[in-house]
Amino acid sequence: MSAAADRLRAIDVGTVGFAVAAVVVVVGILSVFSTAVDVSGLVEDQTRTILGVAGIAVGAGLLRRWVRAEDRGYRPPEREELRPIEVPGDELDEQLAHVASLSSTEAVRYFRAQTRDDLRELAIEVLTRHRGCTTQTAREQLRSGAWTDDERAASFFRLGGDGGASDQVTGAIRRPVGGDHPHTARARAAVAELVRIAGAGA
Amino acid sequence: MSEQSIPAAARHAQPDEEPDPWTEPVPTGLRWTRRWRGVTGLTLLAIGFGLIIEQPGLLLASVFGVAFAAYGRLGAAPSPALEVERAIEVTDPDVGEQIPVTLTVHNDGDGRLRDLRIVDGVPSGLAVASGSPRIATSLPPGESAAVSYELEAARGGHTFDPVVAIVRDASGATERAVEIDAPGTIDCVPSLPAEPPPFPLRPQTTRYTGRTSAAEGGDGVEFHATREYRAGDPLGRIDWKRVARTGDLTTVEYRRERAASVLIVVDARRAAYAAPDPTAATSVDHCVEAARTIAGSLLDDGHSVGLTALSPRPPWLIPGRGVQHRLAIRTALGTHEAFERTPPDRSANVYAAGREIRNRIASDTQVVFVSPMLEEGASQAAHRLDAHGHLTTVVSPDVCVSDTVGQQAAGLARSLRLAGARQRGIPAIDWDPAEPFARALARSQRRWSA
């Protein structure tokens, strides 16, 4: 280890704060209790106010950093458990969670489109393999909602099937009480229907 | 999808990738712990308010704060002189065996280490079954402290990481972390099964005699066809019943029994790593388990067996036979880095890997592709190998679960891939790792022979 790396940073906010505190305390105590030392010049109203405000500002800043800081010494990692591995389907679940939890309209729209695109490819394969559709027919059925009688499942792929702004409102109301976001509920219904079709055709 | 094509709002919505605790470097050297920062802040607040509202009491009270903060600024964490010894009772355990480990730390320095924390570098592929690999103690010079714990053995070659020691000064304001090398390895190499179930090979054989029925007539036991008698045919192969019935001399031909040359390809790409639960056995663990049974079965039947992996770090064993070759396959399946629990850092190019496999093996070698079939690349690999004349069989452990929408979709996509392989004439063995692999083999054989 180099000498430089082994040396602590000599001056940081805490050190400055501590030095200021020490000086102020000494001066303050002397001014209050000692008649032998005349420090009245230092504790004129203006100087005292400036010192007081500076003390409060630096103190509040230090406290805030102390409360927020995650960096309170090195914590070695937990080595007792095995290194975690992804569960198949995690990626889609994360995207659905983003749709349910984000407030940015642009981000929600992006993840909604992403999940729909991913599941559309799967749906086309199910319909071509198990219903004998061509890719084009399957695409049209998904777009029109004709592929299933389940209205909620159909609306997942249907053009304009998502709730848009009403989804955002429903999602916001739902969040505190739990339960599926409308988009997640539609995705769940669509996947369940696809599983049913694939199972029936197997 | 490229990073640029994701809108900024969506990009920011995705959480920053958390540092990997197994690879994150230990911040060695001396550092502040910020433990006393709160005291300094409170002291300054008290002084500030004391000055503004002219309260000498607050100023007096802050003396204690200044004293505490000053205490925190005194001294620095010492450089520890530690000697570490690790005793591993079993270094070549069986899978699931408990391995007692004792870590002893000796203070070789002159000073007392008032606040010493030690964490043993447990290998990332092993879980602690009981006890704890940590010590927190105060260690006088010349004294030792020890901790014992048990690891649960899992397949693979496991190397211990350095022991991490963290020393703090008396006030806890500064700390110093050091890494201490303490080499140690545990090799858990399961044997190939003693009585493996028969594995259903496809009818692609070499010219050597073996136990697989070839698609050509000759010597053997299984009826193949009859043909007109030719001079020199053995009398035992003349169909005498037919002679009696029709007067025609015909010769019975049996399927020739040939040995096969088989390359087992384990899908160990980054994309193939998954588990039904984040800390459960991985898909690659199950693939390796299946590969071990397949290799044992085929070697016992006199076939030539080779091994490789779709991985950026593949092992290569060209098909062969014999005791040494069997041992090499066992060792590769047990300890090769391609089959570690940790997924590789980079992905493997399926097309390049397929090309290399085709270049390395003989044209009459068939392929057993062991893959969880979790994404399209696996299907592509199987189809391309089969299409290039290496008759391919897919063996697929199922690690999908169906608790969430994503998981159900992943399971459905996988079953479609297996169906797609079967539709192209590639036999696919779907194995639920909750049941013995032999049962999945038997089920597949029943289905294919029906």
Side-chain angles (χ1 to χ4, degrees):
Chain A
M1 191 190 307
S2 73
D6 196 35
R7 204 178 303 135
L8 285 171
R9 209 151 37 108
I11 298 177
D12 68 352
V13 183
T15 310
V16 172
F18 165 66
V20 171
V23 170
V24 170
V25 165
V26 170
V27 170
I29 289 171
L30 285 178
S31 69
V32 172
F33 292 100
S34 171
T35 51
V37 183
D38 180 13
V39 289
S40 56
L42 280 177
V43 289
E44 288 293 330
D45 278 355
Q46 198 182 354
T47 315
R48 201 179 61 225
T49 308
I50 291 170
L51 278 174
V53 170
I56 291 170
V58 177
L62 283 175
L63 271 179
R64 188 163 163 269
R65 283 173 64 179
W66 180 69
V67 169
R68 287 188 173 183
E70 291 172 5
D71 173 26
R72 290 195 187 146
Y74 172 61
R75 295 279 175 276
E78 296 286 326
R79 302 297 295 259
E80 285 83 347
E81 294 287 329
L82 289 172
R83 181 193 286 258
I85 298 286
E86 274 201 11
V87 177
D90 272 358
E91 200 179 334
L92 181 63
D93 286 331
E94 272 170 30
Q95 290 175 347
L96 289 170
H98 285 324
V99 174
S101 64
L102 295 179
S103 53
S104 154
T105 314
E106 191 189 3
V108 167
R109 199 177 295 140
Y110 168 77
F111 284 117
R112 209 158 44 194
Q114 194 68 31
T115 51
R116 196 178 293 122
D117 288 351
D118 287 353
L119 287 180
R120 187 182 291 115
E121 293 308 309
L122 185 62
I124 289 172
E125 189 156 359
V126 169
L127 296 182
T128 50
R129 190 178 295 280
H130 295 285
R131 289 255 177 96
C133 298
T134 62
T135 306
Q136 186 58 31
T137 321
R139 226 176 261 283
E140 279 164 14
Q141 286 196 2
L142 291 173
R143 207 177 295 144
S144 65
W147 66 283
T148 175
D149 294 333
D150 182 335
E151 183 49 37
R152 188 179 273 187
S155 64
F156 184 77
F157 297 113
R158 189 185 286 140
L159 270 183
D162 60 57
S166 74
D167 263 16
Q168 301 274 55
V169 176
T170 316
I173 296 168
R174 170 210 55 86
R175 217 169 287 149
V177 292
D180 272 351
H181 182 274
H183 182 75
T184 309
R186 285 192 290 270
R188 188 185 300 284
V191 170
E193 187 63 5
L194 291 173
V195 169
R196 192 189 63 74
I197 294 169
Chain B
M1 175 175 297
S2 71
E3 187 76 3
Q4 285 75 19
S5 63
I6 303 175
R11 212 164 40 232
H12 294 147
Q14 306 197 61
D16 294 337
E17 205 160 290
E18 287 186 9
D20 184 347
W22 278 268
T23 54
E24 196 185 9
V26 176
T28 52
L30 193 61
R31 64 205 298 263
W32 292 110
T33 61
R34 320 286 185 211
R35 186 180 188 181
W36 298 99
R37 183 183 270 174
V39 174
T40 310
L42 279 173
T43 306
L44 281 171
L45 275 180
I47 291 168
F49 281 117
L51 283 173
I52 288 173
I53 60 175
E54 297 183 53
Q55 277 291 324
L58 270 176
L59 285 176
L60 255 186
S62 61
V63 169
F64 295 102
V66 171
F68 269 113
Y71 174 59
R73 301 270 149 187
L74 295 175
S79 285
L82 294 169
E83 195 180 314
V84 170
E85 194 184 345
R86 187 189 296 109
I88 307 165
E89 279 194 23
V90 192
T91 53
D92 55 348
D94 294 328
V95 173
E97 191 177 340
Q98 310 268 300
I99 313 160
V101 178
T102 303
L103 184 74
T104 308
V105 184
H106 183 78
N107 183 359
D108 274 353
D110 299 328
R112 184 188 190 92
L113 301 172
R114 294 177 193 285
D115 183 344
L116 171 67
R117 295 143 200 237
I118 298 280
V119 185
D120 199 3
V122 176
S124 62
L126 295 176
V128 176
S130 65
S132 169
R134 296 162 189 269
I135 318 174
T137 186
S138 171
L139 203 58
E143 296 280 310
S144 298
V147 64
S148 294
Y149 59 97
E150 286 189 325
L151 294 171
E152 185 173 329
R155 177 192 56 76
H158 307 280
T159 304
F160 279 82
D161 288 335
V163 173
V164 176
I166 303 157
V167 184
R168 287 187 169 186
D169 66 287
S171 70
T174 60
E175 71 179 14
R176 191 188 295 272
V178 292
E179 287 185 297
I180 306 162
D181 276 333
T185 55
I186 293 172
D187 284 330
C188 180
V189 186
S191 306
L192 301 187
E195 288 181 11
F199 184 80
L201 279 178
R202 297 187 67 185
Q204 184 174 34
T205 53
T206 61
R207 63 181 186 279
Y208 301 107
T209 303
R211 294 191 195 172
T212 293
S213 299
E216 57 180 304
D219 297 326
V221 288
E222 188 186 341
F223 175 79
H224 176 61
T226 55
R227 61 166 169 79
E228 196 176 323
Y229 174 80
R230 288 183 210 137
D233 283 347
L235 288 178
R237 286 190 26 210
I238 294 173
D239 186 354
W240 291 110
K241 286 182 183 171
R242 188 173 180 135
V243 174
R245 205 164 53 241
T246 63
D248 296 334
L249 269 177
T250 53
T251 301
V252 176
E253 286 206 319
Y254 299 94
R255 284 188 189 278
R256 281 178 194 263
E257 299 221 317
R258 298 294 198 197
S261 170
V262 183
L263 181 71
I264 300 172
V265 181
V266 176
D267 189 358
R269 293 167 303 138
R270 193 179 168 79
Y273 273 80
D277 173 273
T279 54
T282 69
S283 46
V284 173
D285 288 333
H286 295 307
C287 286
V288 168
E289 189 187 337
R292 196 181 308 119
T293 304
I294 296 164
S297 172
L298 297 179
L299 286 169
D300 284 356
D301 280 351
H303 301 298
S304 296
V305 180
L307 175 71
T308 188
L310 292 187
S311 163
R313 47 192 188 190
W316 258 107
L317 288 169
I318 297 295
R321 285 184 283 191
V323 178
Q324 288 302 320
H325 192 72
R326 189 183 178 95
L327 185 63
I329 288 181
R330 177 194 165 196
T331 307
L333 285 172
T335 59
H336 195 278
E337 60 173 339
F339 309 130
E340 281 178 0
R341 180 177 173 82
T342 313
D345 295 333
R346 56 202 167 86
S347 52
N349 184 327
V350 171
Y351 302 106
R355 213 168 27 244
E356 187 179 357
I357 288 171
R358 295 199 304 275
N359 288 341
R360 285 205 186 202
I361 58 176
S363 58
D364 56 5
T365 299
Q366 58 177 292
V367 170
V368 177
F369 182 50
V370 194
S371 166
M373 303 291 277
L374 292 176
E375 44 73 71
E376 208 45 41
S379 307
Q380 296 291 335
H383 298 163
R384 290 174 76 87
L385 286 167
D386 195 69
H388 279 87
H390 301 286
L391 295 188
T392 299
T393 304
V394 171
V395 174
S396 181
D398 183 4
V399 291
C400 293
V401 282
S402 56
D403 297 333
T404 66
V405 180
Q407 290 166 3
Q408 286 172 6
L412 176 59
R414 175 182 170 276
S415 65
L416 289 174
R417 279 181 212 112
L418 289 182
R422 288 179 185 131
Q423 205 169 36
R424 286 177 162 90
I426 300 174
I429 300 171
D430 189 3
W431 170 41
D432 175 0
E435 67 175 11
F437 182 49
R439 199 173 297 163
L441 284 181
R443 196 170 44 242
S444 300
Q445 273 177 327
R446 271 200 306 274
R447 190 164 62 214
W448 296 340
S449 58

